Amino acid sequence: MSISKQNILQALETITVSGEGRNMVASGAVQNVVTFADEVIVDLKLSTPALHIKKRAEADIIKTIHEKVDTTAKVKVNIKVEAPAKPQNPNLIKGKPIPGIQNIIAVASGKGGVGKSTVTSNLAVTLSKMGFKVGILDADIYGPSIPIMFDVAMEKPLSVNVGGKSKMKPIENYGIKILSIGFFTQPDQAVIWRGPMAAKALNQLIFDAAWDQLDFMLIDLPPGTGDIHLSIMQSLPITGAVVVSTPQTVALSDARKGVAMFRQENIDVPVLGIIENMAYFTPAELPENKYYIFGKEGAKHLAGDLDVPFLGEVPLVQSIREAGDVGRPAALQTATQTEEAFETITRNVVEETVRRNENLPPTEAIKITTMAGCSAVKK
């Protein structure tokens, strides 16, 4: 059989794009066919960007032309993806930015106990020392620890009038504005709430607060990848996410899932990088020695594997724990190994935030569409 456009089209009428009922020609997927000698070029338009569907369509076209037209044909398939516009649903909830807040950074970890709240606290005070206006939203509803780390556990937010509306005034210490569910519960009180109630409480902390002007709001997320995370990303357009992990294999496995959550197509929050906490231990009496108690450079290697920036490492230092327990973040100390480590990490976070804002469009909050998932709000 000679290679002609008509022969090619007849062959392509015998196959379909995965998930579609009609053949490629009748459905309009085949946009054009060009033949020249033993060369065949097929222009294909698909409505989904899924890689496996594109590969399957290309393989089916090449196989069919070789079987039904010419086994020696040199086939090239050009695939263009044009997703159909989604109808607007007025019942979906779209999050909105908070006036005056420039960058919202989510600090996450797939696993508990890796020092995420400690890193958040020290990032905040280091940003403040650099001259930025900073706030922290403690979104760990079931285990709020930020009030303890800033020595404000017994404080209660006051009500202030802003534009004729009553708003919560964040508690402030060391130049950081803080709101946490911990301010509204007793120290020995367990928060036993289902997801919707926790989400409602978070929305009040976010939108019923007088945050004023902030260069950075850091959101201390709970461990895992669950309902609270979706509620936050539904409520706010997150600028980017920072993932904290120890070098330990168990922690890295969960950190990988944390990165995957933010990268999910229907969430699509840029991951600014990974921070390695408890990277190594150096005894005070042996300052040249490093002991890799939880493993060596595990988070650094994970960042390379996932192609995300490695923001830096925090050593396992007793004073960091002690400082957090007494409510004065260790990064406030001067001329110490801890201060230097957090300054390096914080500079990298700022640089990645600037790079993200220059190269990517603003993030929009996601919309929860069903009980099982969510879809991105596109401009």
Side-chain angles (χ1 to χ4, degrees):
M1 184 181 293
S2 62
I3 300 180
S4 68
K5 181 176 180 178
Q6 188 60 35
N7 291 336
I8 298 297
L9 290 172
Q10 288 177 355
L12 296 181
E13 286 177 346
T14 65
I15 56 177
T16 63
V17 175
S18 178
E20 297 185 6
R22 294 185 298 167
N23 68 67
M24 286 185 175
V25 178
S27 68
V30 176
Q31 298 286 287
N32 192 28
V33 172
V34 177
T35 61
F36 181 77
D38 61 346
E39 295 182 6
V40 179
I41 300 175
V42 179
D43 293 330
L44 192 69
K45 181 179 77 173
L46 300 179
S47 59
T48 174
L51 184 61
H52 69 280
I53 291 180
K54 292 193 286 185
K55 287 186 174 181
R56 172 70 181 274
E58 181 179 17
D60 286 348
I61 289 172
I62 294 173
K63 180 181 178 182
T64 300
I65 292 175
H66 284 164
E67 289 181 350
K68 297 183 179 295
V69 181
D70 191 327
T71 58
T72 64
K74 299 175 183 176
V75 183
K76 181 181 179 182
V77 182
N78 298 321
I79 298 178
K80 181 180 180 182
V81 176
E82 288 187 5
K86 294 182 180 179
Q88 292 294 318
N89 186 342
N91 295 320
L92 296 179
I93 301 172
K94 180 182 179 224
K96 54 185 181 294
I98 304 175
I101 298 181
Q102 301 302 313
N103 298 287
I104 303 174
I105 309 296
V107 184
S109 66
K111 184 175 180 60
V114 299
K116 171 181 49 58
S117 296
T118 299
V119 169
T120 302
S121 301
N122 285 283
L123 276 177
V125 297
T126 306
L127 283 168
S128 180
K129 285 165 65 178
M130 290 178 175
F132 295 106
K133 296 177 181 177
V134 187
I136 296 179
L137 173 66
D138 187 357
D140 195 345
I141 292 292
Y142 305 108
S145 54
I146 293 297
I148 294 175
M149 292 187 171
F150 279 85
D151 194 24
V152 290
M154 304 309 296
E155 300 287 338
K156 302 294 180 186
L158 299 175
S159 177
V160 294
N161 188 290
V162 180
K165 294 182 179 180
S166 180
K167 299 274 189 178
M168 285 181 285
K169 183 180 180 182
I171 300 298
E172 189 168 342
N173 200 13
Y174 310 125
I176 312 298
K177 295 181 178 180
I178 306 161
L179 274 182
S180 168
I181 198 66
F183 294 140
F184 305 96
T185 60
Q186 297 301 317
D188 57 351
Q189 179 184 352
V191 178
I192 309 173
W193 290 345
R194 293 188 183 274
M197 193 169 180
K200 183 178 179 180
L202 279 174
N203 269 308
Q204 287 184 299
L205 293 178
I206 294 169
F207 295 110
D208 291 346
W211 290 104
D212 199 18
Q213 302 292 318
L214 294 179
D215 297 305
F216 287 91
M217 173 188 274
L218 304 183
I219 302 181
D220 185 26
L221 290 173
T225 54
D227 191 54
I228 298 298
H229 304 75
L230 286 177
S231 296
I232 287 288
M233 289 181 283
Q234 177 193 12
S235 300
L236 291 170
I238 307 296
T239 306
V242 170
V243 176
V244 180
S245 178
T246 65
Q248 188 177 3
T249 302
V250 173
L252 294 171
S253 174
D254 290 335
R256 185 183 294 270
K257 295 171 186 174
V259 173
M261 173 187 69
F262 291 114
R263 284 181 159 180
Q264 192 169 309
E265 184 180 354
N266 50 5
I267 293 178
D268 195 25
V269 170
V271 177
L272 302 178
I274 295 177
I275 296 172
E276 183 169 277
N277 193 26
M278 308 181 205
Y280 57 86
F281 171 66
T282 297
E285 63 274 14
L286 297 170
E288 301 302 318
N289 290 21
K290 289 185 179 181
Y291 298 96
Y292 298 93
I293 297 174
F294 295 106
K296 185 176 181 180
E297 299 183 342
K300 185 175 183 178
H301 294 318
L302 178 65
D305 290 343
L306 298 178
D307 194 26
V308 300
F310 179 65
L311 300 172
E313 58 186 20
V314 182
L316 182 60
V317 178
Q318 183 174 332
S319 62
I320 296 179
R321 190 272 304 165
E322 292 173 340
D325 286 348
V326 300
R328 183 176 172 80
L332 290 170
Q333 303 167 7
T334 59
T336 64
Q337 178 189 22
T338 301
E339 181 192 40
E340 182 180 345
F342 279 110
E343 282 183 351
T344 299
I345 290 170
T346 305
R347 279 197 301 269
N348 289 336
V349 170
V350 173
E351 288 175 6
E352 291 301 326
T353 302
V354 171
R355 185 176 294 112
R356 174 257 177 278
N357 289 337
E358 288 178 346
N359 298 328
L360 293 174
T363 307
E364 292 197 12
I366 63 172
K367 297 190 291 188
I368 306 302
T369 56
T370 68
M371 291 294 288
C374 49
S375 64
V377 182
K378 301 296 183 184
K379 284 190 173 181

